[in-house]
Amino acid sequence: MKKLLLVSALTLSGSLCAMAAQEVAKSPPAAPYQQVSKLVKLPDFLPGMGQLFVDPATLPAGPFLAYDHDGRLVSTIYMLPTKDLNPDKSFADLAAPGGNVDHVDVYYNAGHPGVEEPHVHVVLWHVTAADEASVAK
């Protein structure tokens, strides 16, 4: 039930950000977003995710903006620490800076440079499932 509420809230908030979508539609996004690979030891392009940008002030949760090889925004990613997924903490008003959300993926990650602690990736895809291939390699 919690996942359903989270997904519903994220999808709804995405529709409220349509104007901001134009500002982040192409890479690189304007400040305060910075390229993640310049902030932590990660490659410029992560297969399955793309080229990531984040406002450092929003770490560790994000949003992270993910772009394909052509500089097109494909997803917005939140990295929510698993220790914070409890009744005492909430993640309200998560925005979808890229605008419309086609579908949402949620999966566990044990940690990586930049977000070392275990967390859940909440991926708001702005492209169809078939277009996810643009960041596969």
Side-chain angles (χ1 to χ4, degrees), residues 7 14 20-21 25 33 45 50 55 58 66 72 76 85-86 96 99 107 116 119 128-129 135:
V7 170
Y33 288 98
F45 192 92
D55 173 355
T58 66
R72 174 181 65 142
T76 299
L85 298 176
N86 62 64
Y107 57 90
E116 286 81 9
H119 57 280
T128 65
V135 294

Side-chain angles (χ1 to χ4, degrees), residues 1-18 61-64 75-80 85 90-107 120-126:
M1 181 68 168
K2 287 182 184 179
K3 284 185 183 178
L4 179 59
L5 291 174
L6 176 63
V7 170
S8 297
L10 292 172
T11 304
L12 180 61
S13 70
S15 63
L16 300 175
C17 297
F64 293 79
S75 70
T76 299
I77 303 168
Y78 284 92
M79 300 183 190
L80 308 178
L85 298 176
S90 67
F91 293 91
D93 298 322
L94 296 177
N100 291 336
V101 175
D102 182 81
H103 61 286
V104 178
D105 290 338
V106 179
Y107 57 90
V120 173
H121 284 195
V122 179
V123 183
L124 312 176
W125 289 100
H126 305 295

